[in-house]
Amino acid sequence: MTNPICEVTNTLRFVSEAISSGRLVHPRCRQRAEEVAKLVGDISWGRGGPEHCGAIENLARSLVEEGPDESCVQLGREILASLTEHREAFESHIETHNCPTGECVKLAPAPCQMACPAGIDVPSYLTLIGMGRDAEATEIIREDNPFPWVCGLVCTNPCEFMCVRGRMDEPISIKYLKGFAAERAMSEMRYENPPKAPDNGRKVCMIGAGPAGMTAAYYLALKGYRVTIIEALPVPGGMMMVGIPRYRLPREVIDRETGMIESLGVEFRYNTRLGKDVTLEQLREEGFEAFMVAIGAHSAFKLMIPGEDDYPQVINAIDLLRRVALGDRHLPGERVVIVGGGNVAIDAARTCIRLGCREVTVAYRRTRSEMPAHEEEVIQAEDEGVRFAFLTVPVAVEGSDGTLTALRCLRAELGQPDEQGRRRPVPVKDSDHPLKADAVISSIGQVIDRTGLTTLEDLRWSKRSTITVNTVTMETSVEGVFAAGDVVSGPATVVEAIGGGKKAAEAIDRYLQGIPQPKWPQVPVRRRRLECLEVPASTKMIPSRPHMPLLNTDRRRITFQQVELGYSENAVREEARRCLRCDICRRCGLCVEICRDKMGVDALQLGYLNFDHPSPTDLRTTSERCIACGACAANCPNEAMVIKDENGERCLRLCGTVLNRLRLEYCEQCGAVLGPARYHDYIAKRTKGVSPLVEGRSLCVQCARKIAAGRHAEILPAQ
Amino acid sequence: MMNRETREMSKYYIFQDSRNCIGCHSCEVACKSNKGLSTGPRPCQIITIGPKFVGGLPKSAYTFMPCFHCENPWCVAACPTGAMQKREKDGIVFVDESLCVGCKTCMSACPWGAPQWNPEKGKVVKCDYCMDRVDEGLKPACVTVCTTHCLHFGTPEEIPQVRRERYARAMTSLE
């Protein structure tokens, strides 16, 4: 897990303490300690370079070796110990410009980036999208995720759940903006691969062309490896292709992004199943030095009810979706019952509607609010005519003469919560009833098909029947074999597989180069520190994200055309401007505190800054009260709040949002800036009890002093 | 407008015998170095007046401008945070940096430009007669380095009567 203490800050703290305590009596020693503090401070404030750690180490060593007294030696040892123990943390600060604890003020990360399993620098690419620079935005995304377009359509967007804007009104529509940028970049032919390192001649093999396998292939190919992917299916994409239906993710999207990876020289071998068409030994003989197992979870749990195996019309959702994705458009039955409440159940139901099933019912044990499926997709399914039978527990499959006729179910009610906090369905007595059906589709979860991996005897498996790996490096118990994706996590999301693939690529590179593996998980990298977009407070306050236009329902019921039609360009640019830039503002609330408690002005109504108890936010009211004193900006540790004089006005901005603009007044003597009238009113009100202000003149500090001095000057004749 | 009696009301007083001042700015330098200030803020400042032709010769005057430590200071009234204070025991007006939020109201309020902006810290800095030194029985930094000894620190009673003596001498020629 991530270390909860920032070791860089900690080191800085104890070195500074040693300096200020007066313990270091020898001047040379004190100077060295100060130099260490300066270098550690550099790292903490994002100014660290590749030589910083070495320089700190040398200084600490000279403290130990040259003393001259015990306190110096002691401090030197402490610094060395901290640096040796936490070298990774120091280097991570320098390389990623990200301090996950947020203790290093300038390096405090945005919550959206930390929430993303692939660690994408969300604020940076949103800012570029806001500027209309879609190709550059795509480039930033691809530094962490080679599938911006796919993720822009089907990601489960954990970033949006952490979005700070969500505390204010609604989270930024991060997912769709990403999709827009990638689509636009692709359409403008500006979706490009970054430059590739020269070929290093070493061969690596990925097993499975899903998101995890292709992501690892992408990053390894960029590093100069010769990568081959073997894939059991005749198509690339894994679950993206055969799990996610086409109306959510068009094939072209997968094909184009796969094409980008292929153009880096990655070789794809389709229709090649490990353990059947090829063995690991054969691959080793071919010269592959490292492997990554990313075969996904393509088998299904069984319902475990009587009659399940007696009728061919009982199928599982994964098989149905794969069949349909590969081109088979036969309907499973006229009247279909789908058992389950996850995204796959909804996908299967909506697919059945499109295949032409007359009646499609999703039977789920709990209620709508407990459904693991996405709310939006449930609504879209209902719009298309999918019916739901909630609190319905299947108990048996019934039929006659080898033909399925019904799924026998019990009605249930919600009882006590289980260990995961979900309320357990309890069957109601005598509630046995049949749901008429001629096909039953089970969708109660996927499992890993181990058959191809049985020859790997040393491979360790977890209790959940997933491959056990070191979660930092994705190494399995077999040397040179790594694993990522659903085969490690169990059925999960595209973006988690991408994150795993990226981690594995880094570890495979280290393994083959003989570099020690990291101890701590990789920290997401701050890719850019972009200027904030200037936005008027009223624009920033536009409360809701744009509505996603959908294909009309009739067409949705008969075709596999993409349902979500995408935002208009205007909506995208406007939406990007709603971003609060949490990579710059760390939401410490010092500005609000100072304005309210110290200045007594209370012009900042930024309720969203408080994580635990958010109160209302209104960026527009600042201009009603703000006197533009600049105390908020002077105390902002991260230059998020900025006050600047420009074009005859004093302007206060928070991460680019213009909070206030006041016309300036000038020194009547020299023309220097004095500040706005409202600021002077504030002072006059406070000082009116003292005595009338001198002559009522508007003078700057310098002129006030000069004029006062001139009054006292005595230029006397020479004696 | 202002007269000296109403504004120099701290227990202490820095007297400048401007006649002897050569404008070397040593006081300013010592002040800044004592407070560890970079370019910009000058808690005390020598202001050059002139040059003017007096009796056919160019003459300049140099006025020492510290803080006057007013009896009823504008800066203290203007400060919303209580950072700007007047010390009870001797009337020295000083700024408690830990309370200062950098709103600069004191700077705008002071008619003499005594509070200065320290951009390195984002806080105000001003002449406090080096009160830490004073408490140790020392003199303010500016006074100790004055090359011509034209700066004198003490209570008003201790201030030398140089001007009166000089004037008297100028009036009564024995020749």
Side-chain angles (χ1 to χ4, degrees):
Chain A
M1 268 344 296
T2 313
N3 203 341
I5 303 165
C6 171
E7 291 302 336
V8 176
T9 313
N10 197 29
T11 308
L12 185 59
R13 202 173 290 144
F14 77 71
V15 176
S16 309
E17 260 168 33
I19 295 167
S20 59
S21 70
R23 264 191 290 145
L24 310 171
V25 280
H26 200 278
R28 190 179 61 208
C29 163
R30 212 165 46 234
Q31 189 199 346
R32 281 178 179 154
E34 271 165 14
E35 277 170 25
V36 170
K38 190 164 180 296
L39 291 171
V40 179
D42 279 350
I43 296 176
S44 172
W45 286 88
R47 298 184 296 255
E51 274 108 45
H52 269 67
C53 286
I56 295 169
E57 199 175 346
N58 289 341
L59 282 166
R61 199 153 281 147
S62 62
L63 278 172
V64 175
E65 284 161 10
E66 295 171 29
D69 52 38
E70 191 45 41
S71 59
C72 307
V73 177
Q74 177 73 18
L75 179 67
R77 286 213 183 103
E78 281 173 31
I79 299 168
L80 273 181
S82 176
L83 191 63
T84 321
E85 177 117 354
H86 309 292
R87 186 95 181 200
E88 261 179 46
F90 279 78
E91 281 170 355
S92 155
H93 273 65
I94 296 169
E95 285 159 17
T96 65
H97 281 237
N98 183 348
C99 171
T101 64
E103 281 197 69
C104 295
V105 169
K106 192 114 192 171
L107 307 182
C112 47
Q113 183 175 15
M114 294 307 277
C116 177
I120 311 174
D121 185 351
V122 178
S124 293
Y125 80 74
L126 287 186
T127 304
L128 286 171
I129 292 173
M131 293 174 183
R133 289 152 68 178
D134 299 312
E136 278 169 78
T138 311
E139 198 181 295
I140 289 188
I141 300 167
R142 292 189 90 230
E143 287 178 49
D144 292 297
N145 175 346
F147 293 101
W149 198 1
V150 169
C151 282
L153 300 179
V154 300
C155 187
T156 48
N157 50 267
C159 50
E160 293 182 24
F161 294 102
M162 283 307 288
C163 179
V164 176
R165 181 80 200 215
R167 293 183 227 159
M168 214 172 119
D169 36 58
E170 282 183 89
I172 310 293
S173 192
I174 301 172
K175 174 174 105 173
Y176 293 135
L177 262 50
K178 175 165 49 227
F180 176 91
E183 185 183 275
R184 176 59 64 90
M186 191 65 95
S187 140
E188 288 178 342
M189 309 300 275
R190 293 182 63 203
Y191 188 118
E192 279 158 8
N193 280 326
K196 194 184 155 184
D199 179 21
N200 65 15
R202 308 188 70 171
K203 291 172 78 177
V204 184
C205 181
M206 306 289 134
I207 299 143
M214 287 204 279
T215 300
Y218 173 77
Y219 290 111
L220 287 168
L222 285 178
K223 287 186 169 157
Y225 290 91
R226 295 182 182 173
V227 188
T228 299
I229 306 181
I230 62 167
E231 167 59 53
L233 293 168
V235 287
M239 274 297 186
M240 299 191 291
M241 187 67 98
V242 298
I244 301 171
R246 291 293 74 82
Y247 60 86
R248 285 214 284 140
L249 179 61
R251 177 171 179 154
E252 293 76 8
V253 176
I254 305 169
D255 285 344
R256 291 296 285 269
E257 293 202 317
T258 305
M260 295 306 294
I261 294 167
E262 202 166 10
S263 69
L264 287 170
V266 174
E267 182 201 353
F268 286 78
R269 293 185 197 164
Y270 298 112
N271 299 310
T272 311
R273 186 178 287 273
L274 183 74
K276 186 172 155 244
D277 303 308
V278 69
T279 66
L280 211 59
E281 267 48 58
Q282 286 170 333
L283 291 167
R284 280 219 174 91
E285 276 163 29
E286 255 191 73
F288 292 109
E289 296 177 72
F291 299 88
M292 192 181 92
V293 181
I295 58 167
H298 289 258
S299 292
F301 276 120
K302 294 184 77 175
L303 290 169
M304 310 302 274
I305 53 174
E308 187 181 4
D309 297 325
D310 303 341
Y311 304 96
Q313 295 88 351
V314 180
I315 55 175
N316 71 63
I318 288 300
D319 286 341
L320 172 80
L321 291 171
R322 185 189 314 120
R323 230 181 58 205
V324 174
L326 294 176
D328 178 1
R329 297 285 157 102
H330 290 97
L331 61 160
E334 288 284 331
R335 202 181 272 176
V336 182
V337 175
I338 291 128
V339 180
N343 281 318
V344 176
I346 305 294
D347 285 344
R350 296 175 70 187
T351 297
C352 289
I353 291 274
R354 283 163 175 78
L355 292 174
C357 300
R358 205 165 282 281
E359 199 180 297
V360 179
T361 310
V362 173
Y364 180 53
R365 300 191 293 163
R366 297 185 172 90
T367 67
R368 192 190 185 100
S369 50
E370 281 87 25
M371 275 180 101
H374 270 185
E375 175 75 19
E376 294 155 44
E377 286 184 48
V378 177
I379 294 170
Q380 289 181 10
E382 274 181 327
D383 291 347
E384 288 161 15
V386 174
R387 294 186 199 174
F388 287 89
F390 292 112
L391 292 165
T392 302
V393 185
V395 285
V397 178
E398 291 179 345
S400 58
D401 306 332
T403 307
L404 195 154
T405 54
L407 180 68
R408 186 153 287 278
C409 298
L410 296 176
R411 280 195 302 278
E413 52 192 20
L414 289 182
Q416 293 304 309
D418 61 12
E419 60 271 22
Q420 288 168 355
R422 288 201 303 182
R423 291 177 70 189
R424 207 188 287 272
V426 181
V428 175
K429 217 179 159 191
D430 301 328
S431 63
D432 204 307
H433 64 284
L435 272 182
K436 283 198 172 167
D438 41 32
V440 169
I441 300 170
S442 69
S443 174
I444 54 168
Q446 295 102 265
V447 283
I448 291 137
D449 179 4
R450 288 197 198 184
T451 43
L453 296 169
T454 41
T455 51
L456 279 169
E457 281 162 14
D458 297 336
L459 195 62
R460 276 183 48 211
W461 293 81
S462 74
K463 279 183 200 153
R464 294 169 56 224
S465 272
T466 57
I467 296 179
T468 306
V469 295
N470 171 341
T471 52
V472 176
T473 60
M474 312 310 276
E475 290 168 294
T476 65
S477 53
V478 182
E479 198 192 316
V481 178
F482 298 75
D486 283 358
V487 78
V488 169
S489 58
T493 61
V494 172
V495 71
E496 282 169 85
I498 289 169
K502 195 170 65 160
K503 265 199 274 187
E506 170 70 23
I508 291 171
D509 179 45
R510 286 184 182 226
Y511 167 73
L512 293 175
Q513 303 296 334
I515 305 167
Q517 297 290 358
K519 279 182 285 181
W520 297 102
Q522 279 172 34
V523 173
V525 185
R526 183 189 289 267
R527 299 291 175 186
R528 306 279 192 283
R529 188 182 288 277
L530 292 165
E531 282 280 303
C532 296
L533 295 169
E534 183 170 320
V535 185
S538 53
T539 310
K540 197 78 167 188
M541 286 300 293
I542 293 175
S544 63
R545 45 202 253 157
H547 178 73
M548 174 54 77
L550 302 178
L551 192 71
N552 77 55
T553 324
D554 292 331
R555 210 165 290 169
R556 275 158 58 187
R557 285 173 56 83
I558 47 180
T559 72
F560 279 83
Q561 280 178 37
Q562 201 174 349
V563 171
E564 289 172 345
L565 298 174
Y567 286 160
S568 72
E569 172 159 7
N570 263 348
V572 166
R573 309 288 177 225
E574 287 294 316
E575 179 66 1
R577 282 144 64 98
R578 285 175 66 229
C579 173
L580 298 169
R581 288 302 299 270
C582 303
D583 60 330
I584 305 291
C585 172
R586 61 196 286 262
R587 303 164 305 288
C588 64
L590 201 55
C591 49
V592 178
E593 223 175 276
I594 284 175
C595 186
R596 184 189 56 213
D597 304 339
K598 306 281 184 174
M599 298 303 298
V601 175
D602 200 9
L604 294 171
Q605 204 186 329
L606 307 176
Y608 75 93
L609 297 182
N610 190 326
F611 184 85
D612 297 317
H613 310 285
S615 52
T617 298
D618 197 339
L619 302 166
R620 295 163 299 192
T621 53
T622 302
S623 64
E624 293 166 10
R625 293 184 180 176
C626 171
I627 58 169
C629 68
C632 50
N635 289 278
C636 178
N638 223 358
E639 290 163 49
M641 191 70 89
V642 178
I643 197 155
K644 218 169 131 192
D645 294 342
E646 55 190 26
N647 309 324
E649 287 175 323
R650 180 159 288 179
C651 185
L652 180 71
R653 291 186 180 86
L654 171 60
C655 293
T657 308
V658 181
L659 298 180
N660 195 15
R661 261 185 219 280
L662 290 173
R663 208 160 56 81
L664 285 169
E665 295 187 340
Y666 298 92
C667 171
E668 58 187 55
Q669 193 80 15
C670 71
V673 170
L674 285 185
R678 207 190 281 173
Y679 177 60
H680 293 297
D681 292 346
Y682 175 85
I683 298 166
K685 200 172 154 198
R686 295 189 67 88
T687 54
K688 71 170 184 273
V690 179
S691 70
L693 249 187
V694 199
E695 290 177 0
R697 297 185 66 183
S698 308
L699 293 169
C700 70
V701 177
Q702 270 306 310
C703 292
R705 207 174 231 187
K706 272 189 191 143
I707 288 169
R711 290 214 174 84
H712 301 157
E714 323 160 55
I715 300 184
L716 298 174
Q719 280 179 319
Chain B
M1 48 156 226
M2 42 200 150
N3 60 56
R4 288 197 165 193
E5 283 70 30
T6 58
R7 55 187 159 81
E8 287 153 12
M9 291 305 280
S10 122
K11 182 178 146 194
Y12 300 109
Y13 172 43
I14 291 181
F15 168 70
Q16 180 207 17
D17 179 9
S18 55
R19 186 66 183 263
N20 281 349
C21 181
I22 57 170
C24 71
H25 296 272
S26 300
C27 48
E28 275 183 37
V29 174
C31 170
K32 284 174 71 105
S33 109
N34 178 56
K35 289 210 181 317
L37 301 173
S38 62
T39 42
R42 298 172 176 201
C44 73
Q45 189 178 356
I46 291 290
I47 308 275
T48 306
I49 311 292
K52 272 187 195 165
F53 275 94
V54 179
L57 289 170
K59 299 287 282 179
S60 283
Y62 306 98
T63 308
F64 178 71
M65 293 292 286
C67 168
F68 299 126
H69 299 270
C70 310
E71 167 77 28
N72 199 358
W74 280 272
C75 57
V76 173
C79 178
T81 69
M84 193 64 84
Q85 302 166 29
K86 191 165 177 72
R87 192 152 83 156
E88 197 69 43
K89 66 173 178 187
D90 52 14
I92 289 178
V93 178
F94 69 101
V95 57
D96 179 345
E97 255 185 22
S98 65
L99 296 176
C100 176
V101 296
C103 70
K104 303 188 190 175
T105 46
C106 53
M107 293 170 60
S108 293
C110 175
W112 299 284
Q116 299 273 309
W117 183 243
N118 181 359
E120 275 192 339
K121 287 191 175 169
K123 292 178 188 296
V124 156
V125 61
K126 75 176 282 293
C127 165
D128 52 9
Y129 283 161
C130 297
M131 60 184 197
D132 46 339
R133 290 173 57 90
V134 170
D135 290 344
E136 286 174 35
L138 300 168
K139 288 186 172 168
C142 52
V143 175
T144 55
V145 296
C146 179
T147 36
T148 62
H149 301 288
C150 73
L151 290 180
H152 301 271
F153 175 76
T155 56
E157 310 86 67
E158 292 162 5
I159 295 301
Q161 306 263 340
V162 277
R163 274 194 291 207
R164 182 178 265 181
E165 286 164 19
R166 190 184 296 138
Y167 185 68
R169 268 199 294 276
M171 294 302 288
T172 22
S173 168
L174 292 175
E175 285 157 19

